[in-house]
Amino acid sequence: LGLSPVSRLKAEMDRRLSYSGKVMLAPMVRIGTLPTRLLALRYGADIVYAEELIDHKVLLTKRIPNPVLGTVDFVLPTGKCLFRTCEEEKDRLVFQMGTSDAARAVAVAELVKEDVSGIDVNMGCPKEFSVKGGMGAALLTQPERVKEILESLVEKINKPITCKIRILEKEEDTLSLVRLIESTGVSAIAVHGRLKGQRSITPVNCDILRKIAKHVKVPVIANGGSLDVTDYKDILAFRESSGCSSVMIARAAEHNPSVFRSEGPLPVEEVAREYVKVAIEYDAFPANVKYCLAQILVNDLETPLGRKLLSSNTLEDVCEAFGLSECFRKTEDRRAGLIHQLSSQESKALGYVLEVKGGNGPQPKRRKIEPEVSEDGTLELHVKYNRKDYPTTETPKSILHEYVKANGLGQLQYYTRERKQDRTFKSTVFLDGNKYSSTYWASSKTFAEQGSAEVVLLVFGVHPLH
């Protein structure tokens, strides 16, 4: 006998994600991709948040089941996979969006709702790109828009709806905001216990977190405690001191996803190796793999392993650095067999990961060095300039200058900024309407410019050491 409508509704409610008493992976741009999320779950996190994705961009994607990888991919018209998920995380995955419009928010949620367990709206990101677009922290002072977005999602999407905010200058304004948010029917509120202008070096404000937790009935998820978190006991201590129902961890998990292990964290080299295995399994984007591994090995980048990682350009290079070349080859061979079993319709749908070569049927694409795209549209790779790679008088800047001149690409410009707290530098190359930069902060202005020039050479595929 089929279930009655009431029984079906009860069964659906029983399956809904609970935000009470949980330890979670916080949403982190570039970090919160599939390999990090799966590692966090395997190490003990109860819930994982995907990296924030902007509504406009998500709405350009097409949802494509990928039988070769066992994933569901959301693919841009360019062929780039913007968001990838799999069955292992489906019941514990929260999708976070950046939005400033209720209709777009609902459209995004409709697109992804079958593949996630919760929908979150970022209302705390202080980055200029978000704020100028009316998203993130810009919403903290727009209560009517907050109300409209959240009420629309709660009314139209049959999934738990949450949002993540930061605290405001005045305590009463913060408490007023969380009351308004609770009134929309959300399932939980995540609160980063800092002002929008404060960074991670500022201690998290647990006093206001405790007051918020007492002020509303929905679960409050405390965020911002990574400064004092090195293991699972510290996570529980943060939850206790915040007075909140649950906690989400960002930076501590960025540098070691095994921080969620109740038995204690594992050595970072071991964690990095496990990360590479997951990246192989799910054909992760090489530039993102390299970036995430660089955060895990942040204190070991001058070791032989760290230097091999920094000089890698492809996933195969990364695997070689970690002694996982055989694992990579076996996975590629198995994947090639699955590709040959695809129907013509499936092959066409998976064109973003396949290409047809001669009469031999679909084959895995040759791996290219493709950049990540930052929120302001800058094309980025994690590249560290090493003078020893250039024994002659040639440098990345001189090579790029000659290439630009020979190909008539127009004017080449460098813009370099200094990070005052540690006197490091980051340079951006402006060329032919695009911006290019390394995510690595260099020790000098010269090295920063050389690194950004290397990024352009790698993206163009003309790097002499490619």
Side-chain angles (χ1 to χ4, degrees):
L1 294 175
L3 293 174
S4 68
V6 173
S7 297
R8 281 198 298 271
L9 179 60
K10 184 178 184 302
E12 174 64 29
M13 294 300 290
D14 289 342
R15 288 195 299 270
R16 285 170 71 94
L17 201 61
S18 168
Y19 293 88
S20 297
K22 298 296 193 294
V23 172
M24 312 176 191
L25 176 72
M28 291 178 281
V29 171
R30 301 185 72 180
I31 296 295
T33 46
L34 184 58
T36 301
R37 300 197 304 265
L38 291 181
L39 275 191
L41 288 172
R42 293 173 187 180
Y43 286 133
D46 298 306
I47 294 170
V48 291
Y49 278 61
E51 64 172 335
E52 177 199 19
L53 294 173
I54 305 304
D55 54 6
H56 287 290
K57 205 166 186 179
V58 179
L59 293 175
L60 294 174
T61 66
K62 180 179 180 182
R63 180 187 182 276
I64 302 178
N66 185 338
V68 175
L69 298 178
T71 60
V72 174
D73 299 343
F74 291 81
V75 183
L76 291 164
T78 60
K80 181 177 180 179
C81 180
L82 181 68
F83 175 61
R84 172 169 287 163
T85 182
C86 68
E87 192 66 28
E88 181 179 344
E89 66 172 355
K90 183 177 180 179
D91 292 336
R92 294 176 288 173
L93 172 63
V94 177
F95 182 92
Q96 188 187 65
M97 73 175 84
T99 187
S100 60
D101 180 80
R104 286 198 305 272
V106 170
V108 168
E110 287 284 359
L111 183 62
V112 303
K113 68 180 183 181
E114 298 305 322
D115 303 295
V116 303
S117 288
I119 303 291
D120 184 81
V121 179
N122 184 342
M123 296 185 172
C125 179
K127 291 184 179 179
E128 184 180 11
F129 174 84
S130 288
V131 175
K132 280 189 174 181
M135 302 176 289
L139 293 169
L140 294 174
T141 54
Q142 300 181 52
E144 289 308 311
R145 183 166 292 185
V146 168
K147 184 178 175 69
E148 181 187 8
I149 291 171
L150 294 178
E151 283 186 341
S152 296
L153 287 167
V154 169
E155 178 187 350
K156 297 175 182 177
I157 304 298
N158 188 26
K159 291 283 180 182
I161 306 300
T162 59
C163 68
K164 184 171 180 285
I165 66 169
R166 282 187 176 235
I167 60 174
L168 297 165
E169 290 278 358
K170 295 181 180 179
E171 179 182 304
E172 55 267 35
D173 290 342
T174 301
L175 297 179
S176 175
L177 178 62
V178 295
R179 279 199 306 271
L180 178 140
I181 291 171
E182 182 181 39
S183 73
T184 65
V186 295
S187 297
I189 306 170
V191 184
H192 187 141
R194 293 185 179 90
L195 301 171
K196 73 174 184 178
Q198 294 176 327
R199 295 297 176 261
S200 59
I201 57 173
T202 303
V204 65
N205 188 337
C206 281
D207 289 338
I208 187 64
L209 290 176
R210 284 191 295 271
K211 290 177 181 178
I212 292 169
K214 291 178 180 178
H215 204 70
V216 294
K217 294 180 180 179
V218 295
V220 175
I221 307 162
N223 177 228
S226 281
L227 197 63
D228 300 312
V229 170
T230 58
D231 58 26
Y232 189 73
K233 290 180 181 177
D234 293 336
I235 295 176
L236 298 183
F238 175 45
R239 184 165 69 184
E240 180 71 23
S241 62
S242 71
C244 294
S245 174
S246 298
V247 292
M248 56 169 52
I249 303 300
R251 289 180 185 272
E254 173 184 3
H255 297 306
N256 191 339
S258 72
V259 72
F260 295 107
R261 291 180 80 245
S262 58
E263 308 91 334
L266 297 169
V268 290
E269 189 169 325
E270 181 179 340
V271 173
R273 187 177 170 85
E274 289 303 310
Y275 181 98
V276 176
K277 290 180 182 177
V278 180
I280 295 169
E281 182 180 0
Y282 289 104
D283 196 28
F285 190 53
N288 185 250
V289 170
K290 183 176 176 180
Y291 178 81
C292 292
L293 287 170
Q295 311 317 306
I296 296 172
L297 297 175
V298 65
N299 296 318
D300 299 300
L301 293 177
E302 295 303 325
T303 65
L305 175 60
R307 286 194 291 269
K308 284 182 181 178
L309 171 65
L310 290 176
S311 64
S312 64
N313 292 316
T314 65
L315 187 55
E316 190 170 8
D317 291 342
V318 174
C319 293
E320 185 177 344
F322 283 86
L324 290 169
S325 294
E326 184 64 19
C327 176
F328 177 82
R329 284 192 291 271
K330 286 183 177 179
T331 302
E332 289 286 276
D333 290 344
R334 176 178 57 81
R335 198 171 288 152
L338 292 172
I339 288 170
H340 280 291
Q341 296 173 25
L342 296 174
S343 66
S344 58
Q345 185 175 358
E346 288 173 322
S347 293
K348 184 177 180 181
L350 292 172
Y352 59 100
V353 291
L354 309 173
E355 66 180 4
V356 177
K357 295 183 178 180
N360 297 323
Q363 299 289 334
K365 264 190 176 180
R366 289 184 61 197
R367 298 179 184 276
K368 301 175 182 179
I369 304 174
E370 296 186 29
E372 287 284 306
V373 182
S374 73
E375 290 181 339
D376 69 352
T378 303
L379 305 177
E380 295 181 329
L381 293 173
H382 195 73
V383 172
K384 179 184 179 182
Y385 168 66
N386 187 345
R387 268 188 308 199
K388 294 178 182 178
D389 291 338
Y390 299 87
T392 68
T393 57
E394 284 191 324
T395 65
K397 284 184 70 175
S398 66
I399 295 167
L400 179 59
H401 175 77
E402 291 301 319
Y403 179 82
V404 169
K405 184 178 177 182
N407 290 275
L409 295 179
Q411 189 175 7
L412 186 63
Q413 292 182 314
Y414 293 84
Y415 168 73
T416 304
R417 64 187 189 275
E418 180 182 5
R419 189 164 59 184
K420 298 294 184 183
Q421 60 262 39
D422 58 2
R423 296 188 63 80
T424 55
F425 299 83
K426 190 174 183 181
S427 181
T428 301
V429 175
F430 292 80
L431 176 63
D432 200 27
N434 288 316
K435 297 181 290 184
Y436 304 83
S437 182
S438 171
T439 57
Y440 181 83
W441 287 81
S443 59
S444 71
K445 180 175 181 286
T446 299
F447 279 25
E449 290 181 351
Q450 298 289 4
S452 62
E454 279 197 282
V455 170
V456 183
L457 294 173
L458 288 165
V459 171
F460 281 23
V462 294
H463 194 289
L465 304 177
H466 184 75

